[in-house]
């Protein structure tokens, strides 16, 4: 009988071990990329453990010509938004946060976690999000009133949309860019389409009610995960996001900042984890895409100064911190005598101005008080500029977007690009297929989304000194505690990813892989 009990006990023990193994395997955490793997845009990672499903980022794709030209809506998410309980956001850039409003419209009912600074920035950006995302909407406008700049509505509950008489209603289903093209084809006098501000506010409210803020370095328990945000200074509020499930730990770098910026003096290395997912925007390039930072900025100040004496220096810049950095250089150029203090500075975008106001009012977001120096310049900038009537004279024009594919930059293309007294100063990354990229590559003409073809008569200068990403050596400093960890490369084009993988393996003998889209990576402790 005793031997029988032993046999039964042994069998139960084996079953317990087997069951435990199965249970642990079922509860292992995994990461699957639905964006940002093998490309720059669309960062989105699904983190799972048992039945818990959360996202890190949910960004807009912009790294290929089809997306940027607006040829159709975004691809499907690849997962059911209704099954996601939480979203953890690294920072406010469109390629990380741009699809969150669409996620909410698609049934996501959970919580979006971000830092306070990121929330302040997105509260501005998401007002005009519909113009920059590539989602499909049912648009409505008053077709009975012929206007060069019609206002369009897309929220069914908008009271202004409801006041349009049935006989005058114009409708179209598609993306914002497709809508612009459609309206221009119907009436060639239509040169810009305004999104209804009330619809924007309704959309903003629907998204913001999902948001909760977190503090840096304060762990948050979320189901099986402990989640911690740590600063990386790419933008105010930017974070690397750390996960732990008790069995393994891993981190998403988000986008790392750079000390080449006047506003950043130090970025702390990542804490040691088992797995790191790290951005690869600049690949293995140790220069951050440019020359010595101060020498490159001085070249910018000189070029802008010379161009603005003879005509118009046109600087397309991203609405976020890039516009602020441009203002810092204009102020420095004025102090050096390279840029005339009497040269008018036109700064048009309401959203960009609102963001700059936030920065000026929150100097604690930065490592020094540099931002205080632009307060007076910012107040003196002009809010109106008529590109159609512009004829000669000196000036500096600061517009969004940096790639010249939307916003005021796109609106002014046909009026300013053909003119020989205009110098376009490109101050950032130019994605394939964008007007900015075509100008940078020396195109003789540019075809707009409307089908209009314009000849290039302007001068074009390109400056790589305003990049906000860490270069290869700065990324390596951030990874310093994790050379024994498993490292996955994300957020880069294919050539950059391959170069970075090769460089890290050669220099550090690191376990480095290029993350693949929709491949499930299991998070296990490094032995």
């Amino acid at each position: 009988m005793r031997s029988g009990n032993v046999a039964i006990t042994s069998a139960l023990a084996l079953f317990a071990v087997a069951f435990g193994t199965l249970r642990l395997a079922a509860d292992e955490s995994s990461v699957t990329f639905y964006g940002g793997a093998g490309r720059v845009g669309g960062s989105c990672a699904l983190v799972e453990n048992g039945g818990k499903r959360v996202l890190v980022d949910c960004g807009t794709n912009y790294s290929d010509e089809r997306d940027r030209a607006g040829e159709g809506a975004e691809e499907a998410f690849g997962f059911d938004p209704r099954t996601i309980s939480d979203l953890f956001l690294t920072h406010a850039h469109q390629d990380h946060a741009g699809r969150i409003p669409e996620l909410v419209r698609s049934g996501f009912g959970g919580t979006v976690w971000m830092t306070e600074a990121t929330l302040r920035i997105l509260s501005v950006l998401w007002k005009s999000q519909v113009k920059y995302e590539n989602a499909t909407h049912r648009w409505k406008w008053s077709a009975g009133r012929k206007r060069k700049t019609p206002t369009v509505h897309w929220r069914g509950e908008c009271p202004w949309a409801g006041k349009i008489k049935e006989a005058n209603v114009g409708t179209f289903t598609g993306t914002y860019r497709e809508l612009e093209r459609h309206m221009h084809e119907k009436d060639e006098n239509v040169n810009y389409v305004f999104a209804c501000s009330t619809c924007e506010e309704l959309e903003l409210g629907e998204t913001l009610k999902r948001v909760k803020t977190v503090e840096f370095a304060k762990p948050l328990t979320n189901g099986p995960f402990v989640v911690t945000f740590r600063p990386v200074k790419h933008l105010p509020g930017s974070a690397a996001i750390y996960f732990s499930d008790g069995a393994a730990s891993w981190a998403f770098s988000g986008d790392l900042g750079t000390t080449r910026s006047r506003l950043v003096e130090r970025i702390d290395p990542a804490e040691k984890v088992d797995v790191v997912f790290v951005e690869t925007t600049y690949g293995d390039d140790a220069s951050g895409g440019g020359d010595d930072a101060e020498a490159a900025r001085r070249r910018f100040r000189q070029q802008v100064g010379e161009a603005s004496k003879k005509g118009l220096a046109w600087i397309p810049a991203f609405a976020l911190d890039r516009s602020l950095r441009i203002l810092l250089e204009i102020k420095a150029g004025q102090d050096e005598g390279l840029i005339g203090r009497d040269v008018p500075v036109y700064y048009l975008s309401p959203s960009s101005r609102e963001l700059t106001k936030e920065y000026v009012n929150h100097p604690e977001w930065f490592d020094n008080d540099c931002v205080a120096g632009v307060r007076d310049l910012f107040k003196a900038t002009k809010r109106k500029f008529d590109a159609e009537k512009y004829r000669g004279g000196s000036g500096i024009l600061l517009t969004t977007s940096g790639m010249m594919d939307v916003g005021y930059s796109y609106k002014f293309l046909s009026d300013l690009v053909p003119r020989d007294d205009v110098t376009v100063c490109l101050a950032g990354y130019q994605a394939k297929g964008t007007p900015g990229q075509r100008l940078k590559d020396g195109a003789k003409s540019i075809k707009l989304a409307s089908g209009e073809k314009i000849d290039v008569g302007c001068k074009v200068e390109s400056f790589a000194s305003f990049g906000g990403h860490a270069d290869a050596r700065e990324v390596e400093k951030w990874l310093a505690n994790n050379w024994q960890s498993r490292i996955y490369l994300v957020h880069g084009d294919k050539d950059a990813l391959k170069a970075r993988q090769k460089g890290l393996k050669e220099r550090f003998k690191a376990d480095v892989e290029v993350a693949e889209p929709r491949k499930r990576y299991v998070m296990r402790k490094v032995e």
Side-chain angles (χ1 to χ4, degrees):
M1 186 69 181
R2 180 178 176 80
S3 60
N5 287 337
V6 171
I8 292 171
T9 302
S10 298
L12 289 172
L14 287 170
F15 177 80
V17 170
F19 177 78
T21 302
L22 288 171
R23 182 181 61 79
L24 288 172
D27 290 347
E28 282 182 321
S29 298
S30 67
V31 173
T32 307
F33 284 90
Y34 288 90
R39 68 190 308 172
V40 174
S43 291
C44 184
L46 174 65
V47 183
E48 298 177 273
N49 185 299
K52 182 73 170 179
R53 310 181 90 209
V54 305
L55 295 180
V56 174
D57 292 345
C58 189
T60 303
N61 285 311
Y62 64 51
S63 59
D64 61 63
E65 189 167 349
R66 179 178 174 82
D67 289 332
R68 297 309 291 170
E71 299 294 335
E74 289 274 7
E75 61 188 17
F77 285 110
F79 51 83
D80 185 348
R82 294 170 298 181
T83 67
I84 307 300
S85 65
D86 298 87
L87 188 153
F88 300 92
L89 182 63
T90 60
H91 66 287
H93 270 141
Q94 181 186 356
D95 58 329
H96 292 258
R99 294 190 78 181
I100 295 177
E102 183 185 354
L103 189 78
V104 171
R105 291 195 299 268
S106 299
F108 169 73
T111 302
V112 182
W113 302 89
M114 63 184 71
T115 63
E116 178 66 29
T118 297
L119 173 58
R120 283 185 170 273
I121 292 170
L122 284 175
S123 295
V124 176
L125 293 181
W126 275 342
K127 288 181 184 178
S128 56
Q129 176 66 30
V130 71
K131 292 188 288 187
Y132 299 94
E133 66 183 5
N134 230 13
T136 296
H137 297 279
R138 178 70 171 170
W139 305 94
K140 183 178 180 181
W141 67 93
S142 176
R145 303 178 68 183
K146 297 294 183 181
R147 291 181 174 179
K148 294 182 70 174
T149 55
T151 298
V152 295
H153 312 266
W154 68 99
R155 297 285 303 200
E157 68 272 41
C158 175
W160 301 105
K163 291 182 178 182
I164 302 174
K165 293 181 179 179
E166 191 65 33
N168 294 332
V169 171
T171 61
F172 178 79
T173 299
T175 68
Y176 180 81
R177 288 192 180 97
E178 289 169 340
L179 170 70
E180 283 191 312
R181 185 160 55 244
H182 167 77
M183 296 189 79
H184 186 82
E185 288 171 352
K186 287 188 65 176
D187 184 353
E188 62 181 15
N189 291 318
V190 173
N191 62 7
Y192 192 71
V193 178
F194 279 106
C196 168
S197 59
T198 301
C199 288
E200 288 179 344
E201 290 292 344
L202 289 168
E203 190 102 334
L204 178 66
E206 187 68 24
T207 304
L208 289 184
K209 72 182 183 182
R210 305 284 176 204
V211 174
K212 290 186 179 180
T213 59
V214 296
E215 297 178 25
F216 282 127
K218 188 173 181 179
L220 167 71
T221 300
N222 188 271
F225 307 122
V226 176
V227 185
T228 309
F229 285 57
R230 297 193 181 278
V232 291
K233 303 182 183 180
H234 177 62
L235 287 179
S238 292
I241 300 181
Y242 293 75
F243 281 76
S244 174
D245 63 3
S249 59
W250 61 101
F252 298 88
S253 72
D255 287 353
L256 302 175
T258 174
T259 53
R260 297 188 313 281
S261 166
R262 289 181 181 273
L263 301 166
V264 178
E265 295 177 357
R266 174 186 171 87
I267 300 172
D268 292 328
E271 294 190 349
K272 183 173 176 55
V273 290
D274 297 303
V275 183
V276 184
F277 298 97
V278 64
E279 69 135 308
T280 319
T281 308
Y282 287 137
D284 213 42
D285 185 352
S287 66
D291 306 317
D292 174 75
E294 177 50 34
R297 288 196 295 261
R298 181 172 176 80
R299 184 175 76 86
F300 172 82
R301 299 193 295 269
Q302 289 173 328
Q303 293 282 348
V304 170
E306 291 174 8
S308 62
K309 289 175 185 176
K310 304 172 186 176
L312 184 70
W314 181 13
I315 311 168
F318 298 111
L320 289 170
D321 70 329
R322 193 66 54 86
S323 292
L324 173 62
R325 294 186 195 187
I326 297 298
L327 290 174
L328 285 169
E329 296 311 313
I330 293 173
K331 175 64 167 60
Q334 290 176 339
D335 293 343
E336 295 169 325
L338 296 173
I339 298 174
R341 293 187 184 277
D342 58 342
V343 173
V345 179
Y346 302 94
Y347 186 16
L348 310 182
S349 167
S351 59
S352 187
R353 294 185 68 91
E354 195 172 343
L355 285 167
T356 298
K357 185 177 179 180
E358 287 281 357
Y359 297 148
V360 169
N361 290 338
H362 291 278
E364 72 276 7
W365 288 352
F366 306 99
D367 287 356
N368 53 50
D369 60 358
C370 254
V371 69
V374 302
R375 188 185 298 271
D376 291 340
L377 171 62
F378 173 56
K379 288 181 179 179
T381 56
K382 301 180 181 298
R383 302 186 185 200
K384 293 183 179 181
F385 177 83
D386 194 328
E388 189 175 353
K389 294 180 180 179
Y390 175 78
R391 293 290 183 275
S394 62
I396 299 172
L397 174 63
L398 180 57
T399 61
T400 55
S401 70
M403 299 184 199
M404 309 182 77
D405 57 343
V406 288
Y408 279 103
S409 296
Y410 182 81
K411 179 182 177 182
F412 292 157
L413 283 174
S414 58
D415 289 313
L416 298 182
V417 164
R419 300 183 182 177
D420 62 7
D421 62 341
V422 172
T423 301
V424 176
C425 302
L426 298 171
Y429 172 75
Q430 305 297 321
K432 292 179 181 178
T434 60
Q437 180 263 333
R438 293 181 186 124
L439 286 176
K440 183 178 180 180
D441 289 351
K444 300 299 182 184
S445 64
I446 295 177
K447 186 177 180 181
L448 304 182
S450 64
E452 179 186 0
K453 190 175 181 180
I454 57 174
D455 293 327
V456 177
C458 63
K459 303 177 187 67
V460 180
E461 299 285 347
S462 182
F463 304 89
S465 52
F466 294 98
H469 291 266
D471 68 12
R473 300 300 90 86
E474 289 176 308
V475 172
E476 288 163 11
K477 289 180 182 178
W478 187 78
L479 286 170
N481 296 325
N482 286 284
W483 295 125
Q484 304 306 312
S485 307
R486 281 183 292 146
I487 299 171
Y488 293 97
L489 306 179
V490 296
H491 200 278
D493 62 36
K494 291 181 179 179
D495 291 339
L497 290 161
K498 289 178 182 177
R500 175 92 282 211
Q501 181 185 31
K502 180 181 178 183
L504 291 179
K505 282 187 172 182
E506 289 178 351
R507 284 193 294 278
F508 301 98
K509 311 302 179 188
D511 179 6
V512 184
E513 291 185 36
V514 175
E516 299 177 26
R518 306 206 177 194
K519 179 177 178 180
R520 182 172 176 267
Y521 295 96
V522 176
M523 301 294 98
R524 293 194 178 105
K525 193 170 187 64
V526 173
E527 300 298 336

